Amino acid sequence: MELEFVKSMEYFSQQKLKKMNLQELARILLLGLFLQCVSAASSIRAIYLFKDVLKSNTSALKTSGFNSVIIFGVGILGNGDIMYYSNTPGSKDALVASNGSYVGGDALSDKVRSFKTGDTGINRVEISMNAQHVSDLMRTPGPGASTPLYRNFEALKMAWDLDAVNNDDESIYDVSSTVTFAKMLGAVGLKYTIAPYTNTGFWASIITQINSGLKEPDLLLDRAYLQCYDGGAGNDPGSWQSTLGMKVVPLVWVTNDSKPSQGITAAQAKSKFQSWNSQSAVAGGGYWNDYDIEKMGLSYTAYGDVLKSVFP
């Protein structure tokens, strides 16, 4: 009788253990799937748009694996107006925001907005600009909501459905005005990103001040696109991450005829991204730029597939 009782207890214990193991296994599998989803959502696959967006191959950009585009060549004037500068033969510079209104025309706004609509993998559109006139405008008239610059960014954000403004400052490096400007953009409802290649001290300082008191996922300065070509060819993403206190998105230059020695093929890009990611777990990867891909007859799909492979 005692032996049968002991055997019965062992049987029920084994069944309980099996049930617990199955529950634990299910929990682990669900956790793994969750982490995969988080990883996929946070992997950045970016490309800078140097070509006039009205003339670029929008369909290819939308369906080749990129999830973020940064429109290069936007700048502000001394009076707070915003320009979109042409970098494409046959195109003209365009005033896009003035006196608190969008004035860039429907064709341009429709094209920019189309990046995130229809058959597309793109979920974020940024504009990239340098620091010209930022210091003067932050001093006078300042960053207030009634100023021309504030109202012009409000208008451009709405017209183009913008998500962020990218700082490509390579010469001025004024901490105070940069921080003030970033916070103004935050009040408008835009994120702020950076594209450094040198001067780590400047970038580390503005990150600390702009994001003071903020935590993920509500950081104002939420991305750093690190130039790893030309002047930044020797940059180590891991070292920059340690200095900046945030993950970076290393950028490489596609094959080009402007500075051929700086251009790399899709296969070479994959090797670099894999190495950087395995060593430092970077936030994603990206390219400079679409103009060269189209001019050189390269494949958006080939370069996009690299990013999907390394940063799924």
Side-chain angles (χ1 to χ4, degrees):
M1 187 74 174
E2 287 182 1
L3 181 59
E4 291 179 354
F5 176 78
V6 170
K7 287 182 177 179
S8 296
M9 292 300 296
E10 287 177 348
Y11 172 80
F12 285 114
S13 295
Q14 290 172 357
Q15 294 305 307
K16 185 177 181 181
L17 181 60
K18 289 179 181 179
K19 185 177 181 181
M20 289 177 63
N21 286 341
L22 289 173
Q23 290 174 339
E24 181 66 14
L25 178 60
R27 187 188 71 80
I28 291 172
L29 289 173
L30 288 172
L31 178 61
L33 289 172
F34 172 77
L35 291 175
Q36 285 182 349
C37 291
V38 170
S39 175
S42 61
S43 294
I44 299 166
R45 303 187 297 274
I47 185 168
Y48 273 72
L49 308 186
F50 185 74
K51 189 173 184 177
D52 181 352
V53 295
L54 287 172
K55 296 186 175 184
S56 60
N57 188 342
T58 308
S59 178
L61 285 164
K62 292 168 63 173
T63 58
S64 295
F66 307 108
N67 58 25
S68 303
V69 293
I70 305 99
I71 301 171
F72 186 79
V74 177
I76 57 177
L77 303 181
N79 64 354
D81 285 354
I82 304 176
M83 296 287 296
Y84 177 41
Y85 294 103
S86 169
N87 296 296
T88 307
S91 295
K92 296 180 179 180
D93 298 342
L95 181 67
V96 293
S98 180
N99 197 31
S101 298
Y102 175 71
V103 295
D106 291 342
L108 184 55
S109 63
D110 289 348
K111 188 65 176 291
V112 174
R113 294 179 72 89
S114 74
F115 282 120
K116 294 191 290 186
T117 61
D119 183 12
T120 184
I122 296 171
N123 56 33
R124 176 155 165 152
V125 175
E126 306 184 20
I127 55 173
S128 181
M129 56 176 286
N130 59 33
Q132 292 295 322
H133 303 298
V134 169
S135 180
D136 291 340
L137 288 168
M138 291 301 96
R139 183 172 56 253
T140 306
S146 63
T147 62
L149 187 63
Y150 187 106
R151 293 168 55 231
N152 286 337
F153 270 106
E154 272 191 322
L156 189 62
K157 176 184 183 295
M158 181 172 293
W160 284 8
D161 191 20
L162 293 178
D163 300 288
V165 172
N166 176 245
N167 179 358
D168 186 34
D169 186 358
E170 297 185 354
S171 61
I172 296 175
Y173 299 123
D174 183 71
V175 172
S176 178
S177 62
T178 301
V179 171
T180 302
F181 179 58
K183 291 183 177 180
M184 184 203 79
L185 293 172
V188 171
L190 292 161
K191 292 289 189 180
Y192 194 68
T193 68
I194 58 176
Y197 82 93
T198 189
N199 201 345
T200 55
F202 167 78
W203 299 109
S205 180
I206 68 165
I207 289 171
T208 299
Q209 294 184 52
I210 291 171
N211 285 339
S212 177
L214 303 175
K215 295 181 178 180
E216 291 277 11
D218 299 318
L219 297 178
L220 173 52
L221 198 166
D222 67 339
R223 293 187 181 184
Y225 300 101
L226 179 65
Q227 298 180 48
C228 297
Y229 58 87
D230 204 8
N235 281 332
D236 172 42
S239 176
W240 273 81
Q241 288 186 158
S242 297
T243 301
L244 299 182
M246 67 183 297
K247 296 290 186 180
V248 304
V249 181
L251 302 174
V252 296
W253 194 348
V254 302
T255 300
N256 66 88
D257 61 2
S258 177
K259 288 188 177 181
S261 65
Q262 298 299 318
I264 60 175
T265 65
Q268 291 169 326
K270 184 174 184 179
S271 178
K272 283 183 175 290
F273 287 136
Q274 285 177 328
S275 176
W276 287 327
N277 198 42
S278 65
Q279 293 174 17
S280 308
V282 295
Y287 301 111
W288 173 260
N289 60 75
D290 70 322
Y291 181 87
D292 287 322
I293 287 178
E294 296 190 22
K295 181 182 180 183
M296 302 296 291
L298 308 175
S299 168
Y300 277 116
T301 300
Y303 281 101
D305 282 349
V306 167
L307 296 181
K308 288 194 296 182
S309 172
V310 182
F311 308 109

